[in-house]
Amino acid sequence: MELPFRLYRNDPHWVPPLRRDVLELIDPSKHPFHRHATVELFLARQGKRVVGRIAAVQNDLHIETHGDRTGFFGLFESERDRRVSAALFDAARTWLVARGLETMRGPASFSLNEECGLLVSGFDGPPVVMMTYNPPWYEELVEGYGFTKTKDLLAYYLPGAAPTERLLRVADKLRERYRISVRALDTRRFWDEVALVRQVYNEAWEDNWGHVPMTEAELTYMAKQLKPVVDPSLVVFAEVNGELAGFGLALPDLNVPLKRMNGRLLPFGWAKALWYSRKISTARVLTLGVRKKFRRNGVAELMQLELMKNGNARGIVNAEFSWILEDNTMMRAPLEKMGARVYRTYRMYDLPTAMGSHA
């Protein structure tokens, strides 16, 4: 857990995670991911010095969903030494081979429902909340071992995210034509609302590359983490003729206060969080899902509009939409029409586990 704090100590863009969150992620008794997966953690040492880390992951729910023999690697950190990274990848690959897995995919910590992808472009600033970050030369370590790209995940940026008059006029027509209504999260019915989120999430994403359904326990865990920091006006539900059609979630960029906390809430981290949270001007649109039968009728666009309006009301003037699959034209086209542009790319890699050692 401490290794990244040393590796990134001079990097102005790195955002220290909360130590307690990392400890919970790797603890099988606390994080529900481990109920359908097995994780092995490795450290690389030179003498007594820790120089790298990696996790090897067998996600049984992924195997069940996709019918393949794919394992994963995650939590990858390494000094700039090909011998270190190769030793880490060898260890993870050997563990996956022993479990009959034929492909090693990553990085994912620990699945596509959490942080995933190697940052390969857009190193000019800190990541937004719940997005990954790494030095540019990690790409050399990963590709030098033999990994090849399997899919790019894109982050779009929209500065001055405010609805235009034209967008408002189009929205009125869509509402009237398709009888669409959009509302914000009702905090009095928080757990009922979470159940609606799961209903949409697992249907809206089931055909997406690499998607694994989120279990009830995982969604409950995530909801408990987000409940203290979520802004109810930035969680929206869409209905068509009174039937649930989709939901959207945007988070204020909590990395702004996190960057100042050095991974700890105590003794003064909480005070810094309160102070710097007032300076947040960007939100990440984390999730925007529409059930299949309600697609192509403006539901997604109306939810985006509502998130923009509500964000503007609380001082949010910029938006990141992430992540979006590179071949998801249905999501990319409307964003580009709004003026958003791709400003960061995160890459998922594959490697046949039968490949020989590169150490």
Side-chain angles (χ1 to χ4, degrees), residues 4 41 49 117 121 169 191 196 204 207 253 300-301 306 315 327 346 349 353 356:
L41 305 174
R49 179 185 175 90
S121 74
R169 287 196 302 272
W191 291 108
L196 295 180
D207 295 331
D253 185 12
E301 289 81 356
E306 193 71 12
D327 50 5
Y346 301 82
Y349 289 91
T353 56

Side-chain angles (χ1 to χ4, degrees), residues 8-15 125-126 133 259:
Y8 292 95
R9 66 177 179 268
N10 296 319
D11 190 323
H13 300 320
W14 183 65
V15 178
Y133 178 78
K259 193 163 175 31

